Structures are given as C-alpha cells and as structure tokens.
Amino acid sequence: MKWIRDLIMRLGIGIFIVFIMAFPILGFIQWFGPDNAVPYDKYKELLSESWVHVNKYGDWAIVFFLTVFLMGAVGNYHLHAEQVRMRRLNMEYKRWRKTPYISPYIYFNLISPRGALSNELKSIVYDEHYKQVVSMFRNRVFVNGSFSNDSPEKKPNWIQVAGLSIIVPTIFCVALVMGFFIIMWQVKSPNLWFTGWEKFAIPFIAFVFTWLGNLLYASFHIGSFRDIKEDMDDYFQEEEPKITWRDVYPDRKKGQTILLAWKHETKDRQEKFREYQTQMNISPAAFIECPALAPYPFPSNEIPEWADGMEEDIYNSIGRWKEDKMVHQQKVINQSKGKVVSFNKKRR
C-alpha cells in the first residue's frame, strides 16, 4: 500500500507542476505565434469546463486521495510482529523448561539467525532478536537444572502467543467503527449514508481497518510460526526433535554449529553497521561497534565437570518415565474392565 501512496503522490505532484507550467508556456506560444493559434485561450476554456466536474466530484477525489494516503501511512506491522516474535521466544523457552531438552525453535534460531522483519538497513543493524536468543541460551546452557518431564507443554495457538496485544485493539477498533455506524443509523436513513460530510470519515475508517488488519496478520503469521515453520521442517525432518542441553555444548557438533553461526552473524552485522554509519556520514575514525551484536554463546569454553553425569541422569530419567508410563497404562487397562481406552490424545 505504501508504494501505491507514493506513486499517487508523485503523479499528483507531476500533474500539478504541468498544470502550473502550462500557463506561461501556452501564453508565450499564443503571444508570439500566428493569430489563429490560441492555445492559451483554449486551455482556459478546458479548465473552465473541467471545473464543473471538479465541483461535482471533487469531494470524492479528496476522499479517495486521503484514503490512499492514510492507508499507506499505516506502519504498525513490523513493530507488532517483533513484539509477537519476542513473546513467542519466551513462551517456547518456558514450554520446554521442565524437560532436559532445548526448544527446537531456540536451537534453530541459534544455528540460523533470524534478522529484522523489516528490510530497512537501520532495522537490520539494530534488531536485537538474535541477541535476545543468544542471551537466553547463554544464561541457561551451563545450568545443571532439574527436569521432571520428557515432553514439553502444549504448544500455544497464535491468539495465546499474541495475547492482549491483539485482543484489546481488536475490541477497541470494532467498537469504534460500530459506534460510528450506530450514530449514522440514528441520524440518517441508510440510503443517504455518505452523501454529506460523513463521507470524509471513510479515510479514517479505512485507516482503522488497515491498522487492525496489519495487527491481525502479524499476530497470525508470527504467532502460528508461519514465518519459520517450513524452514524448521526442512531442517529437522520431524515436528519437534528432542535435543538435550548436553548436545549443544561447545565440544559437540551442534554446539560448534552454534558457534559458527554466531561468528558469521557477528561479522555480517558489523559490516552492515559500518555501511549504515557511512550512510549517516559518520567518519570512519568515529566508527563504533554495533550495539546489537550478540554476546559469545557460552559462558566459557570449559565444559562443566558435572556435564557427563547430567547426561547419564537424563537417560536414567527417560527410562524411569517410560516404565512409569507403562505401569500407569496397565493400571488404566485393568480398571477399564474391557472398555476401549485411548492413550494417545491428538496434540495440536
């Protein structure tokens, strides 16, 4: 929508310039040209005839251009999408916190850093999503935490991920527009709607719906993992692989992959930040390090002494959980007295 607004603005400015410049040009031609050449007078007659149509439909033209301008001015998508993406990251971390495994979503973000959702250079160099992912990983990776489950919590839907950031604005926008039409219903017959000054409310109604549409789309697209799900499925070849925290230590292949991705992202980000500083006319002597660079992924390159023991505890716990699950299922079967019992509930 922004490119349409910019195109119309450029066309409008061009037409206005031609309209103004035509007066002196045509006047010069008529003054110095042959007597039967009267382009200046013809131009004034054309404008006089056109004014009738402008006077009749000019208000709708204003409504149209104002609608396009306001709809193009809506720029809330990227800001809201970044907020939803941060909530998604925190919820994924919490969803797996009782298990001995790292969230596949967090691991995938570590080996395939996701940049800014906007293509603007400033947004790219200052985006801190990858920095937040690495900081979250760094604070947890060498913690010998307890775990009580082999499976993560239920995956939230996109509305749960977006939370109040989508519910409250939706209610507000719908109530605002409904309130406008309720007032219209009270003061005018429906067949006379938008025949008076109320037509100038159309651009603002369009603005509200565009703003809300961006909000809903960002919430659905990011909250339902649409932006990353296909890439994760292609890489893992399964829904949610179970990767132990021990497997992402720097002495293991997955940990080394995390380090390689961090080095590449740091170098690429710093190069883009230098490019941004150049665009801002900053002297190379005054260049600084990009403030959005992610820290080193590991608190230390030394593997904790308890690491291998933790791995053994994980395998023992998994075996114990399987035995407990089998005992529980057998107990349920014995109590069912021959009735069919479903153990595998569909997980969303």
Side-chain angles (χ1 to χ4, degrees), residues 231-248:
D231 292 339
M232 290 181 63
D233 290 345
D234 289 343
Y235 180 80
F236 291 123
Q237 295 296 308
E238 58 180 303
E239 184 65 24
E240 289 190 325
K242 293 180 177 179
I243 305 168
T244 65
W245 282 99
R246 180 66 182 89
D247 279 339
V248 296

Side-chain angles (χ1 to χ4, degrees), residues 107 247-260:
Y107 174 70
D247 279 339
V248 296
Y249 281 17
D251 63 332
R252 298 282 177 91
K253 185 177 180 180
K254 288 183 171 60
Q256 293 167 5
T257 304
I258 291 173
L259 282 175
L260 287 174

Side-chain angles (χ1 to χ4, degrees), residues 56-74:
K56 186 176 181 179
Y57 301 108
D59 52 352
W60 281 108
I62 293 173
V63 168
F64 172 75
F65 286 112
L66 191 57
T67 299
V68 172
F69 177 80
L70 289 180
M71 290 178 69
V74 177

Side-chain angles (χ1 to χ4, degrees), residues 126-184:
Y126 281 109
D127 180 73
E128 293 195 350
H129 181 260
Y130 177 67
K131 181 179 181 179
Q132 295 289 343
V133 173
V134 173
S135 297
M136 184 178 288
F137 173 80
R138 178 186 170 93
N139 292 335
R140 170 61 181 85
V141 64
F142 281 175
V143 174
N144 189 13
S146 59
F147 43 89
S148 57
N149 207 324
D150 185 51
S151 300
E153 296 175 4
K154 183 181 178 181
K155 196 171 187 176
N157 59 45
W158 68 272
I159 297 178
Q160 291 171 318
V161 174
L164 293 177
S165 65
I166 186 62
I167 297 174
V168 174
T170 300
I171 294 174
F172 175 77
C173 290
V174 171
L176 187 67
V177 175
M178 286 185 63
F180 170 78
F181 282 103
I182 289 173
I183 294 173
M184 287 281 290

